[in-house]
Amino acid sequence: MGLRELARLVHLSAGHLHNWEVGIRVPKESEVGALAGCLRLTVEERERLVLMARHAREPNWLENVVPGAPPLAVTYAEYERTATAIFNWQLNLVPGLLQTGEYARVILDNRRISRDELDVRILTRVARRELLRGPVEFTALIGASALYNEVGGKATMIGQLRHLIEMASRRNVTLRIVPERVGYHRGLLGCFVILDFENLPAIVHAEQLGGGTYSSEVAEVAAHREVAKTLLSLALDEAASIRLVEKVLAELTAELPTAEL
C-alpha cells in the first residue's frame, strides 16, 4: 500500500504520515489505532504499537535541554532515554555516549553545515551523556583501533582516553576492548546498537553513512545479539581493557610536549 493511499484511508495528509515515518513527529495513540485497523494488524500487534506510541509521547527532555536539536537525534535520544540496557559496538571510533565535546566536533563537522548547526549537534551529543547518570546499563565494546586513531590530534585523544577511563568507573558502564588481529568476525561488517526496554520489543540501530536504520524484527535483533555474543567472547575483560586504554594514553602523553597537555 502506498503512502498516499494509506493517508486517504485514515483521513490524513501524506505529509503527516511522512513525518511519522522519518521520526519528525510522533502519532497519537488513536492515530496508531486507525493505522492498525486499515492495515488489518492482529490485536497483539495493534496493542504493542499503541503502547509504543503512548511511551513516545512522554516529555522530550533533549528538546528542552538543547532547543533546535536535529529531529533524528531527538528520536534516537528518546530510545536511549527509555531503554533499560544498551549494547554499543564501535569498530574504529569511540561510541557517541562516551565522546568528549572536542572529539565529537571532529566527527560531526562535515563542512556542509553552519557553525551554529555544528554547535547544536555537539551540544546534543554531549547532553545525551546525562543518560549514563541514570539506571540504564550501558555496555560499550570498542575495537582497539579506535584507541589509536588520533581523531582531532594527540591533545584531543588524550582528553578522550582520560574521559573513557573516568566513564568506565561508573557502576552502570561496562567498557571492553576487542583486540586487533583476532581474525574475521561479523562485527567487522558494521557498527550497531541494541536497545532493550522493559515493556517493549528490543530495537537494533545499525549505522550507515549519513545515518542509520532501525529494526525491531525478532530475527534481526537475534542476529545482532549473536554478533554481540561473539564480540564479548573476543573482548578483553574490563580490567585488561582499562590497562590497554591507560597504556595508549601514556604513550600519547609522552609524545606530546608538556605545554600542550
Side-chain angles (χ1 to χ4, degrees), residues 64-229:
N64 294 329
V65 174
V66 187
L72 293 179
V74 170
T75 299
Y76 184 72
E78 280 300 290
Y79 285 139
E80 288 180 327
R81 184 181 69 83
T82 56
T84 55
I86 302 173
F87 177 94
N88 192 172
W89 159 242
Q90 285 289 338
L91 178 59
N92 295 312
L93 294 171
V94 171
L97 283 175
L98 299 179
Q99 291 176 5
T100 64
E102 293 79 6
Y103 188 96
R105 178 176 292 277
V106 178
I107 294 172
L108 296 173
D109 188 3
N110 59 20
R111 303 185 185 280
R112 294 194 300 270
I113 58 177
S114 68
R115 179 177 291 274
D116 288 343
E117 288 178 291
L118 175 60
D119 288 341
V120 168
R121 292 189 182 191
I122 294 168
L123 286 172
T124 299
R125 182 157 297 190
V126 171
R128 284 170 47 212
R129 294 197 318 228
E130 292 301 306
L131 295 168
L132 298 181
R133 296 184 183 277
V136 64
E137 292 294 327
F138 181 60
T139 301
L141 262 67
I142 307 175
S145 60
L147 305 179
Y148 296 96
N149 289 335
E150 294 184 9
V151 175
K154 287 184 172 57
T156 295
M157 278 306 298
I158 286 173
Q160 178 60 72
L161 295 178
R162 286 172 176 165
H163 183 68
L164 273 182
I165 295 169
E166 177 186 348
M167 296 298 286
S169 67
R170 296 187 178 185
R171 291 184 178 180
N172 62 324
V173 176
T174 298
L175 173 67
R176 295 180 63 184
I177 306 299
V178 176
E180 297 177 307
R181 300 178 182 178
V182 291
Y184 173 78
H185 55 84
R186 292 177 65 195
L188 295 172
L189 300 177
C191 305
F192 62 90
V193 179
I194 302 175
L195 301 110
D196 286 298
F197 306 90
E198 184 174 357
N199 297 314
L200 295 170
I203 292 175
V204 167
H205 178 260
E207 292 190 5
Q208 297 176 347
L209 183 64
T213 60
Y214 295 97
S215 177
S216 59
E217 293 290 332
V218 174
E220 191 73 15
V221 174
H224 282 81
R225 288 199 195 281
E226 281 299 312
V227 178
K229 183 178 178 180

Side-chain angles (χ1 to χ4, degrees), residues 2-35 57:
L3 187 68
R4 293 183 182 280
E5 183 182 358
L6 181 58
R8 179 181 60 79
L9 290 174
V10 293
H11 305 290
L12 290 168
S13 70
H16 211 80
L17 266 66
H18 174 73
N19 286 340
W20 298 345
E21 191 174 33
V22 298
I24 296 175
R25 294 287 184 269
V26 177
K28 298 176 183 177
E29 293 175 51
S30 59
E31 293 168 330
V32 170
L35 285 173
R57 297 192 68 80

